[in-house]
């Protein structure tokens, strides 16, 4: 039913998260009992597939389908691994933090069920280095799960074994890319790997591995408990479930809300974020973190889900919006984003490490009043050269999304910088 908040319903800002006993009293670990007691791994995968759950880390790949790519059966390679991608380093994104700090057992339970579905024997949680509170709470939750027989040997008498480890990242954006993350877990430099082979067949130490995002895994116990149709019914559009949406920028109430998937952007902004702050006007937004295309006023009635946002030329990404107002410079904002990506480029491919620095330099010169007319074409050309298919991973194409959309949506602002030989938003 729309209006339900399964992922955040147990989270209270005024108290620490539920311990294992409290979580059980609130219905926790029932889904794990059900999965291990009455469902085969294939049935769990099928249920998640039917639910239409798609990865909440940004890419939106179908979760059950991802699990189904793992080779199963007697002759399949072992061990198999489940990796939780909790390396939430996307600028403007803070949704997984709420789930990890607010209800760590929910994620632990979801990870155990996912591991069971692909018959993994070890699960790793790869956590952003700055999430120290989450690290403490996860450590406690994992220890409690071992004590109560949800982890370790012969879980709940089912014959299924699983160990779970928390790994705190050394702290680079690249570690959030799933194959860079696997390299980092193996103790190597976090360069992405070329695909194929995909991690489901050759991942951690060359063995089948599933990498899932925190919010994705938090959905899993609820799907097992309530069924695929219930999950689909939570949404306002065909992309099932609820979604943690966020807003940052000059809105009255920046924050995070669990709402039906497909909630329109206007409703998120006006009803939940309280509209723009006094004295500021809306100019645009990045719908799902720093590596998505800007949307403008004409897109405010778009439903925030994977398919609809893609149809209007952007991506829902993580669903945590960054709002641009009329008193902030779009060129300066684009320059800041490009600086971030240039800094975080791993340097593995030339178009990315060289191209991002060039783009940053041209944008900086525009901001400082030294921009030249030909920079507009050069920036557009870079956006093409760093686009999909030209680099090892999605960092460079992702970095180009705000730039190329800003060049279209805020063209006049770029031209003013060049014409007036200064940033119009800076005092003379
Ligand atoms: S696109 Fe950038 S971050 Fe990705 S592999 Fe190439 S250099 Fe590294």
């Amino acid at each position: 039913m729309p209006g339900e908040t399964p992922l955040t319903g147990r989270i209270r800002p005024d108290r620490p998260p539920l311990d294992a006993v409290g979580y059980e009293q609130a219905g926790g670990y029932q889904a794990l009992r059900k999965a291990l007691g009455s469902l085969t791994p294939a049935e769990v995968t099928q249920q998640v597939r039917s639910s239409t759950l798609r990865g909440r880390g940004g890419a939106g790949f179908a979760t059950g389908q991802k699990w189904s790519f793992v080779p199963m059966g007697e002759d399949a390679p072992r061990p198999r691994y489940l990796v939780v991608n909790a390396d939430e380093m996307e600028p403007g994104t803070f949704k997984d933090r709420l789930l990890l700090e607010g209800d760590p057992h929910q994620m632990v339970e979801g990870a155990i069920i996912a591991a069971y579905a692909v018959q993994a024997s070890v699960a790793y949680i790869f956590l952003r280095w700055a999430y120290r509170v989450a690290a403490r709470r996860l450590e406690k939750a994992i220890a409690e799960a071992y004590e109560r027989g949800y982890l370790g040997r012969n879980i709940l008498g089912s014959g299924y074994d699983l160990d779970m480890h928390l790994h705190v990242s050394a702290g680079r954006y690249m570690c959030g890319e799933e194959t860079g993350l696997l390299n980092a877990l193996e103790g190597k430099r976090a360069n992405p790997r070329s695909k194929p082979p995909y991690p489901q067949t050759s991942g951690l130490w060359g063995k089948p591995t599933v990498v899932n995002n925190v919010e994705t895994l938090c959905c899993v116990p609820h799907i097992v408990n309530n069924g695929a149709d219930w999950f689909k019914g939570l949404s306002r559009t065909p992309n099932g479930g609820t979604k943690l949406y966020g807003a940052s920028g000059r809105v009255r109430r920046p924050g995070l809300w669990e709402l039906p998937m497909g909630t329109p952007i206007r409703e998120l902004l006006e009803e939940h974020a309280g509209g723009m702050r006094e004295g500021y006007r809306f100019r645009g937004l990045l719908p799902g973190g720093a590596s998505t295309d800007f949307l403008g006023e004409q897109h405010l009635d778009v439903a925030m889900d994977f398919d609809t946002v893609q149809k209007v030329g952007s991506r829902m990404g993580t669903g945590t919006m960054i709002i641009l107002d009329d008193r902030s410079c779009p060129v300066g904002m684009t320059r800041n984003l490009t600086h971030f990506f240039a800094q975080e480029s791993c340097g593995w491919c030339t178009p990315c490490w060289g191209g991002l620095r060039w783009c940053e330099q041209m944008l900086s010169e525009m901001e400082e009043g030294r921009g030249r007319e030909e920079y507009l074409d050069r920036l557009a050309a870079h956006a093409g050269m760093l686009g999909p298919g030209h680099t090892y991973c999605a960092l460079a194409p992702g970095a180009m999304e705000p730039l190329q959309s800003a060049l279209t949506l805020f063209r006049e602002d770029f031209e003013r910088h060049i014409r007036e030989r200064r940033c119009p938003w800076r005092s003379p």
Side-chain angles (χ1 to χ4, degrees):
M1 287 282 290
E4 290 184 64
T5 54
L7 304 193
T8 54
R10 286 183 286 246
I11 299 175
R12 300 275 178 282
D14 56 339
R15 61 151 164 77
L18 296 174
D19 62 8
V21 175
Y23 182 70
E24 285 164 1
Q25 285 166 353
Y29 290 113
Q30 284 307 317
L32 179 63
R33 285 181 191 281
K34 185 175 171 185
L36 296 189
S38 61
L39 298 172
T40 63
E43 285 169 336
V44 175
T45 300
Q46 185 50 47
Q47 202 168 15
V48 170
R49 229 179 146 148
S50 308
S51 74
T52 71
L53 173 64
R54 290 170 65 169
R56 305 309 202 220
F61 194 81
T63 305
Q65 198 181 354
K66 189 186 242 191
W67 295 359
S68 72
F69 294 149
V70 174
M72 303 290 272
E74 282 304 303
D75 299 335
R78 288 163 196 274
R80 289 185 276 265
Y81 298 102
L82 176 88
V83 177
V84 183
N85 188 345
D87 192 42
E88 189 173 54
M89 281 195 65
E90 185 69 28
T93 296
F94 44 95
K95 65 184 183 65
D96 293 341
R97 178 180 177 181
L98 177 86
L99 296 169
L100 293 167
E101 291 184 0
D103 199 0
H105 276 287
Q106 174 176 241
M107 197 226 69
V108 169
E109 184 182 10
I112 302 170
I113 297 170
Y116 170 70
V118 298
Q119 290 290 285
S121 54
V122 184
Y124 291 97
I125 303 169
F126 192 98
L127 182 70
R128 179 180 173 180
W129 68 276
Y131 284 5
R132 304 216 170 120
V133 173
R136 283 199 302 276
R137 293 180 177 179
L138 279 170
E139 268 168 9
K140 181 169 178 279
I142 293 168
E144 288 175 344
Y146 269 105
E147 276 164 25
R148 303 183 75 78
Y150 301 127
L151 282 169
R153 306 278 82 81
N154 191 23
I155 296 172
L156 301 173
S158 65
Y160 174 60
D161 305 334
L162 178 71
D163 283 313
M164 186 175 283
H165 306 284
L166 176 66
H167 176 92
V168 179
S169 169
R172 291 309 301 263
Y173 181 73
M174 271 321 297
C175 297
E177 196 280 338
E178 66 175 3
T179 57
L181 183 156
L182 296 178
N183 274 341
L185 259 184
E186 289 182 10
K188 299 174 187 154
R189 191 173 152 177
N191 291 331
R193 300 174 182 176
S194 72
K195 295 189 248 184
Y198 290 91
Q200 294 92 321
T201 52
S202 178
L204 202 53
W205 294 291
K207 300 294 182 188
T209 304
V210 164
V211 183
N212 281 143
N213 159 265
V214 170
E215 187 185 352
T216 313
L217 289 170
C218 288
C219 295
V220 171
H222 303 286
I223 293 169
V224 172
N225 265 336
N226 302 303
D229 288 340
W230 167 85
F231 188 75
K232 284 194 275 188
L234 295 172
S235 166
R236 286 163 70 164
T237 57
N239 293 178
T242 59
K243 178 78 194 77
L244 263 69
Y245 294 111
S248 57
R250 295 212 168 88
V251 288
R252 282 202 178 89
R253 292 191 300 272
L256 197 60
W257 312 276
E258 183 181 6
L259 295 165
M261 178 71 89
T263 301
I265 295 172
R266 188 185 298 280
E267 193 176 316
L268 293 170
L269 270 182
E270 290 177 4
E271 226 173 88
H272 301 282
M276 298 302 291
R277 270 166 50 184
E278 188 77 29
Y280 294 91
R281 205 173 55 77
F282 172 87
R283 280 209 75 198
L285 63 91
L286 297 169
S291 51
T292 53
D293 290 83
F294 276 102
L295 295 177
E297 204 135 20
Q298 65 274 37
H299 301 118
L300 284 177
D301 293 313
V302 165
M304 271 281 265
D305 71 13
F306 295 106
D307 295 332
T308 317
V309 177
Q310 192 166 14
K311 275 187 202 140
V312 297
S314 187
R315 293 184 303 113
M316 182 175 77
T318 60
T320 42
M321 307 178 294
I322 304 173
I323 315 299
L324 172 69
D325 62 86
D326 65 334
R327 288 164 66 179
S328 301
C329 173
V331 177
M333 181 172 173
T334 309
R335 186 248 162 225
N336 286 348
L337 295 170
T338 310
H339 171 70
F340 170 79
F341 288 115
Q343 252 188 340
E344 293 297 331
S345 164
C346 77
W348 198 238
C349 25
T350 307
C352 176
W353 74 257
L356 287 175
R357 277 163 183 75
W358 269 60
C359 291
E360 184 192 348
Q361 193 183 323
M362 285 187 272
L363 291 165
S364 296
E365 286 182 23
M366 281 189 192
E367 277 289 272
E368 290 155 11
R370 293 182 287 118
R372 304 211 302 258
E373 203 130 322
E374 60 266 30
Y375 283 5
L376 294 176
D377 287 341
R378 276 192 208 160
L379 284 169
H382 271 80
M385 285 189 287
L386 273 69
H390 296 185
T391 54
Y392 250 101
C393 86
L395 182 140
M400 290 300 101
E401 290 182 26
L403 173 62
Q404 68 188 2
S405 52
L407 282 170
T408 309
L409 270 180
F410 310 117
R411 183 91 188 171
E412 169 58 21
D413 299 279
F414 283 83
E415 288 170 352
R416 260 187 85 189
H417 278 71
I418 296 167
R419 207 171 46 239
E420 296 179 19
R421 300 202 146 275
R422 66 185 190 96
C423 170
W425 278 264
R426 291 188 191 177
S427 16

